[in-house]
Structures are given as structure tokens and as C-alpha cells.
């Protein structure tokens, strides 16, 4: 879910009905996210026992729930512009018994006034909704501004080089994933047209450049499932 005010029109798609159906709609992609959560746990394992984690574009709270289950002293700030999504997230944290370690912020990155810098941040499947390159850069800058020096940042987004000779095969495989997920054929036909229009079509190297320009070390590519790619890095001192 985008947390850039430049992309606020995307809020329309995440009303209460969409929020309630979100977790089941993409159930076929659950193994992708389970793997992403696992490797995120690995790269964050060295954080303090009382670390404060910012989950940007937290949606229904999947990464916060997973990390809270394995790091019992961590505190989480879940930020998302969709109140409906955060309502679902709060219901899930209530059921898991971790709401007392969570703060919920309805809004965009620039509206978050945290009391102290965070030890780490996650941004999963968020910034690819910000199709304007300058706005996407500002989004990473806003995250960086809220992190301590040396803090860990883990980012995952759809990214692909449309000029690569292998791109058509990658797109075909991605559409095959959508078919398994139950997307109607008409939706699968229009997705290639959306790529680069409604979803940013930055190649992985460009995403790395944007992250690094926000005062992060060179991002380390550590995850890929079809078009979903992930990086981890640290904020520069």
C-alpha cells in the first residue's frame, strides 16, 4: 500500500471491503511473503532486544505480526494511509496478544512524528505504487530521516528491467502467478499495460540507486520471487 501523498488516489482501492478481503485475495502468494519474512528476521537478528521498528505501508500487519512473534521485546509502529487496513491489522494484533507493543498511525510518511529514531524499518510492496521517480525518492528519504545511524532498512518491491531480453519470459511467469491466484483473464491481459503506468517499472539497479541516495549504504539484493525483489541496507552514519 502506497504511503506517498502523491499516490493518495490508491487509497480508493483499499476501502473496508478490500481490506477485509486483502489477506485471502493473495493467499497463493503467501509462500513468497513467508520467505521474505524469514530472511528479514535473519538480517534484523542483531538489533537490540528492545528495538523500535517502523513498518511503512503496514497494510494488515503481516510483517509486524511475524517479527513480534519471534522478538518479544520489540515495539512496532504500523503506518498506512488506509484506516480500514489498519483496523484489520489491529484486530490481528489483538488476536495475537501483541497490540500493547504496537502503535497505529493512519497517514503518510511525512505525517509521522515519532518520539525517537527507529532502529529499523520495513517497506514491503509499497514504493512500486509511486510511479513518479522524484516522489519515490522522497518516500525513501522520509524513511531514512526517521532511522538512527546504522539502522537496518529492508525494502521489497516489484522491479524488472523492461529492456532485458528475458523480460517477456518473466512477465509470462508473473501472469501465470496471477492465474493461480484467481485473477480473471481480462485482468491478466491488462496488467502488462499497467506496468510502468500504475506500477513503477524501475529496474532493480534504479531502485538500488534511489535507496542509496537516501543516505543508505549500497543495498544488498537478498530476495527474489518472480518480479518481487528485496534488499537490505543500513543508514549511513
Amino acid at each position: 500500500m502506497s504511503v506517498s501523498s502523491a499516490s493518495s488516489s490508491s487509497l480508493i482501492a483499499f476501502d473496508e471491503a478490500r481490506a477485509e478481503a486483502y489477506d485471502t485475495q493473495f493467499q497463493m502468494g503467501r509462500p513468497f511473503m513467508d520467505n521474505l519474512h524469514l530472511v528479514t528476521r535473519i538480517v534484523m537478528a542483531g538489533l537490540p532486544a528492545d528495538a523500535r521498528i517502523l513498518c511503512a505501508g503496514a497494510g494488515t500487519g503481516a510483517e509486524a505480526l511475524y517479527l513480534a512473534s519471534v522478538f518479544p521485546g520489540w515495539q512496532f509502529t504500523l503506518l498506512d494511509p488506509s484506516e480500514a487496513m489498519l483496523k484489520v491489522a489491529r484486530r490481528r494484533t489483538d488476536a495475537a496478544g501483541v497490540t500493547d507493543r504496537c502503535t497505529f498511525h493512519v497517514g503518510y510518511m511525512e505525517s509521522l512524528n515519532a518520539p525517537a529514531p527507529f532502529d529499523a524499518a520495513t517497506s514491503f510492496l509499497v514504493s512500486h505504487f509511486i510511479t513518479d521517480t522524484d516522489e519515490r525518492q522522497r518516500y525513501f528519504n522520509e524513511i531514512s530521516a526517521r532511522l538512527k545511524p546504522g539502522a537496518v532498512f529492508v525494502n521489497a518491491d516489484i522491479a524488472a528491467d523492461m529492456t532485458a531480453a528475458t523480460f517477456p519470459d518473466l512477465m509470462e511467469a508473473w501472469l501465470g502467478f496471477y492465474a493461480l491466484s484467481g485473477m480473471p483473464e481480462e485482468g491478466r491481459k491488462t496488467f502488462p499495460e499497467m506496468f510502468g503506468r500504475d506500477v513503477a517499472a524501475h529496474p532493480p539497479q534504479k531502485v538500488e540507486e534511489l535507496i542509496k541516495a537516501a543516505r543508505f549504504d549500497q543495498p544488498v539484493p537478498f530476495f527474489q520471487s518472480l518480479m518481487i525483489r528485496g534488499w537490505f541496507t543500513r543508514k549511513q552514519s
Side-chain angles (χ1 to χ4, degrees):
M1 181 61 200
S2 173
V3 288
S4 166
S5 57
S7 303
S8 58
S9 61
S10 61
L11 271 171
I12 298 171
F14 288 85
D15 57 13
E16 190 167 349
R18 176 74 182 276
E20 292 291 342
Y22 185 81
D23 290 323
T24 56
Q25 183 177 4
F26 298 105
Q27 189 64 24
M28 188 59 66
R30 176 70 182 271
F32 294 172
M33 299 311 293
D34 286 346
N35 189 12
L36 178 59
H37 293 158
L38 173 62
V39 293
T40 297
R41 170 185 178 175
I42 292 169
V43 301
M44 286 189 170
L47 293 176
D50 60 349
R52 298 179 62 247
I53 314 299
L54 169 63
C55 298
T60 59
E63 63 263 33
L65 282 161
Y66 173 77
L67 293 171
S69 72
V70 293
F71 297 106
W74 288 9
Q75 303 283 326
F76 299 87
T77 295
L78 287 74
L79 178 147
D80 199 282
S82 170
E83 184 175 5
M85 295 287 272
L86 287 184
K87 281 183 178 179
V88 175
R90 186 175 191 115
R91 200 160 62 235
R92 296 180 70 193
T93 61
D94 284 346
V98 297
T99 299
D100 61 332
R101 294 195 279 134
C102 297
T103 299
F104 301 86
H105 180 86
V106 179
Y108 299 101
M109 281 300 311
E110 56 265 35
S111 68
L112 177 63
N113 296 312
F118 291 93
D119 297 285
T122 60
S123 176
F124 292 164
L125 306 183
V126 177
S127 82
H128 61 232
F129 286 117
I130 308 173
T131 55
D132 181 83
T133 302
D134 291 339
E135 289 293 336
R136 196 173 189 183
Q137 182 67 74
R138 278 191 282 275
Y139 170 74
F140 289 129
N141 292 348
E142 291 281 357
I143 292 176
S144 177
R146 288 160 177 78
L147 296 179
K148 297 177 180 178
V152 176
F153 176 44
V154 183
N155 181 78
D157 279 311
I158 293 175
D161 184 356
M162 297 178 68
T163 67
T166 55
F167 177 74
D169 291 329
L170 180 60
M171 176 61 76
E172 184 178 356
W174 184 254
L175 296 177
F177 162 64
Y178 276 164
L180 284 175
S181 299
M183 177 181 281
E185 183 178 0
E186 186 60 33
R188 301 198 304 274
K189 286 181 178 179
T190 58
F191 180 80
E193 301 170 10
M194 295 171 52
F195 196 68
R197 185 192 68 198
D198 300 335
V199 177
H202 289 137
Q205 295 84 354
K206 182 60 178 180
V207 179
E208 292 176 14
E209 290 175 9
L210 295 174
I211 294 172
K212 187 176 181 181
R215 293 187 59 202
F216 288 106
D217 292 337
Q218 177 64 41
V220 179
F222 77 136
F223 174 87
Q224 181 178 0
S225 285
L226 297 178
M227 285 197 190
I228 302 173
R229 293 176 180 255
W231 300 263
F232 71 88
T233 184
R234 288 185 178 272
K235 182 175 177 181
Q236 296 174 358
S237 301

